Amino acid sequence: MKKYQVVGIGNAIVDVLTRADDSFLEHMGITKGIMQLIERDRAEVLYGAMESRVQAPGGSVANTLAGLGNLGLRTAFIGRVHDDALGRFYAQAMEADGTAFVNPPVPGGELPTSRSMIFVSPDGERSMNTYLGISAELGPEDVAEDVAAEAEVVFLEGYLFDKDKGKEAFIRTARACRAAGGKAGIAISDPFCVERHRADFLRLIEHELDFVIGNEAEIRSLFQDNDLDADLARVAAICPLVICTRSGDGVTIIRDGQRTDVPVTKITPVDATGAGDQFAAGFLYGLVTGADMAKAGRMGTVAATEVISHMGPRPETDLQALFRDNGLI
């Protein structure tokens, strides 16, 4: 038995959430419904403009690990925070949620812990303004190969792919895990990042990974066309397992050439933050525990539905109980 069932590597970001209507977003010059990177001075202005803030450890893969911890799996996170108040909060909160935070906060230097100001509209859309800070500096020196080797699965966050050192960290993590008999996969995370590094993304998927998770826009971004079915087939030709979330149209999974389509029940979200992250948590739980693809996909949709029913990117109820209620375990 390996020490960890899932090890994630990604941005360690403190999420700061508040509610805001469209007029506020317009007044503050915030583009609705997307994630945009901002500089430190802009981050301070937006933070000061937030009322009734809710603070929580975030980051895409870290959110997925929180969902897996809720489901009782053994997890660890490879990330980079500064030794400041937010960084210590982040590390302690991850540990409190049951995920080993294997890299201690980094002392010295000028870059603070990363944070994302998230403004949630009445329709559930989230507008994310992210200052990357120190997390974007994660590199291969932050990857302990013995941690990756002790993972059944490692899960990579596409947002980190913008820097060469992030790419090197991914490859080091994936190779250490696979060499020890584990599996490695990625959440594509951002179609714009793919557009900047398309050849490297495809090379990573083909030569270093066992599975890839993305939404429609992210899968399409790999090949620069508008034919989703053709693009899924092209990814499936170079990767054994491809999972595509299609919003209200369900989930498509292709494993070793076999396609499975999983329907979803449409609901109006309270807050869409973390939907993809928790889908990944549910799906990975199914993958690690040996569920078939239809069941694993359904686990993903149940976890995603739970998280969009309340504020915040992490589950607030017992996901195992929800899975039992839905006949999944």
Side-chain angles (χ1 to χ4, degrees):
M1 181 184 295
K2 289 185 178 290
K3 184 175 183 179
Y4 305 113
Q5 288 163 293
V6 179
V7 169
I9 176 171
N11 280 306
I13 299 174
V14 177
D15 285 338
V16 187
L17 297 98
T18 192
R19 294 189 180 276
D21 58 25
D22 290 356
S23 62
F24 177 88
L25 299 181
E26 183 177 354
H27 174 70
M28 295 300 297
I30 298 168
T31 303
K32 183 177 178 179
I34 69 168
M35 191 283 286
Q36 59 187 46
L37 298 178
I38 59 175
E39 297 301 324
R40 188 171 182 173
D41 55 351
R42 172 72 167 163
E44 292 172 354
V45 168
L46 292 181
Y47 184 84
M50 301 178 88
E51 297 182 359
S52 302
R53 295 182 293 256
V54 176
Q55 180 174 292
S60 178
V61 162
N63 290 336
T64 296
L65 292 173
L68 289 167
N70 180 291
L71 285 160
L73 296 195
R74 303 183 305 279
T75 59
F77 180 63
I78 299 170
R80 191 173 175 88
V81 298
H82 186 62
D83 189 13
D84 54 18
L86 281 180
R88 291 188 292 272
F89 160 78
Y90 191 98
Q92 292 164 4
M94 291 292 288
E95 292 278 353
D97 285 342
T99 293
F101 193 82
V102 297
N103 296 52
V106 179
E110 296 182 0
L111 290 174
T113 296
S114 310
R115 72 287 311 269
S116 182
M117 275 61 67
I118 303 173
F119 298 86
V120 183
S121 305
D123 60 2
E125 281 285 351
R126 81 276 197 208
S127 307
M128 305 172 68
N129 300 263
T130 303
Y131 170 59
L132 287 178
I134 197 173
S135 70
E137 297 302 310
L138 186 141
E141 69 278 4
D142 296 303
V143 176
E145 289 189 347
D146 58 339
V147 173
E150 277 296 320
E152 294 180 27
V153 171
V154 294
F155 191 45
L156 318 175
E157 180 181 312
Y159 287 125
L160 272 177
F161 211 67
D162 255 331
K163 293 191 175 184
D164 287 343
K165 62 174 65 177
K167 297 174 187 178
E168 293 167 9
F170 278 7
I171 291 171
R172 180 181 173 94
T173 304
R175 288 180 179 175
C177 176
R178 298 177 89 200
K183 295 187 180 299
I186 192 169
I188 297 177
S189 302
D190 181 10
F192 302 109
C193 185
V194 173
E195 290 171 8
R196 292 189 291 271
H197 308 279
R198 184 171 288 107
D200 285 344
F201 253 108
L202 289 171
R203 193 176 300 112
L204 180 80
I205 291 168
E206 180 173 8
H207 298 293
E208 308 289 352
L209 302 181
D210 301 288
F211 66 92
V212 57
I213 301 177
N215 62 28
E216 291 180 76
E218 292 160 358
I219 295 293
R220 285 198 190 104
S221 69
L222 290 169
F223 299 105
Q224 294 178 285
D225 63 34
N226 201 36
D227 188 337
L228 180 62
D229 284 337
D231 292 342
L232 285 169
R234 293 171 75 179
V235 184
I238 62 172
C239 188
L241 176 56
V242 182
I243 307 97
C244 179
T245 58
R246 302 166 58 204
S247 191
D249 293 326
V251 180
T252 296
I253 302 167
I254 304 176
R255 186 178 201 178
D256 297 327
Q258 293 293 115
R259 176 167 173 157
T260 303
D261 289 296
V262 180
V264 297
T265 300
K266 295 182 181 180
I267 68 168
T268 300
V270 173
D271 172 18
T273 309
D277 305 336
Q278 296 312 319
F279 170 83
F283 181 85
L284 290 176
Y285 177 83
L287 184 68
V288 168
T289 58
D292 61 47
M293 291 298 94
K295 182 176 286 187
R298 181 71 179 131
M299 288 174 169
T301 65
V302 169
T305 299
E306 189 281 338
V307 82
I308 67 175
S309 67
H310 58 74
M311 285 279 287
R314 299 186 173 193
E316 292 184 348
T317 58
D318 184 339
L319 292 181
Q320 282 194 338
L322 285 180
F323 287 1
R324 283 192 292 271
D325 292 344
N326 284 272
L328 296 172
I329 57 175

